[in-house]
Amino acid sequence: MITNKDIRLSVFFPAYYDEKNIDKVVNKAVEVLEELQLKDYEITIIEDGSPDKTDEVADNLAKLHPKVKVIHHEQNKGYGATLWEGFSTARFEY
């Protein structure tokens, strides 16, 4: 039987024009994942060349939470590219 203590989970969030939202989403995800007491987890923000300050907010979240990392796109590549990058860079089996 698999329990939470056996699960390693990768979560990712595509982010474009999300400077006002990404902190709420990531902070809540960290809170929930910590409550689940998983074996391990990672959260990746794929910042897709936002013209606002999404990149700065994302970088600050990565400094605040050790299990959060940010991938930056210099220019917008679109939702499909951010999904592909999220799935292809995920380290864990779930």
Side-chain angles (χ1 to χ4, degrees):
M1 181 171 143
I2 296 176
T3 67
N4 285 6
K5 296 284 186 193
D6 301 315
I7 294 176
R8 298 182 320 154
L9 180 66
S10 294
V11 176
F12 66 90
F13 298 110
Y16 182 76
Y17 239 114
D18 282 312
E19 74 175 275
K20 294 181 181 174
N21 300 314
I22 196 66
D23 62 332
K24 294 174 189 108
V25 171
V26 170
N27 286 323
K28 186 62 175 181
V30 168
E31 178 185 325
V32 168
L33 293 168
E34 288 291 329
E35 287 176 10
L36 289 172
Q37 298 180 4
L38 304 172
K39 181 175 183 177
D40 202 1
Y41 71 88
E42 67 177 349
I43 297 173
T44 305
I45 302 167
I46 299 115
E47 194 287 305
D48 196 25
S50 298
D52 64 355
K53 295 183 192 240
T54 300
D55 58 344
E56 293 175 31
V57 175
D59 286 338
N60 287 334
L61 287 163
K63 289 176 188 171
L64 182 63
H65 302 291
K67 294 182 184 250
V68 173
K69 68 178 180 178
V70 183
I71 297 172
H72 292 279
H73 292 170
E74 288 187 31
Q75 62 184 14
N76 182 265
K77 294 183 178 183
Y79 189 62
T82 59
L83 287 178
W84 179 88
E85 190 145 19
F87 285 117
S88 66
T89 61
R91 296 181 304 134
F92 299 137
E93 57 272 14
Y94 293 101

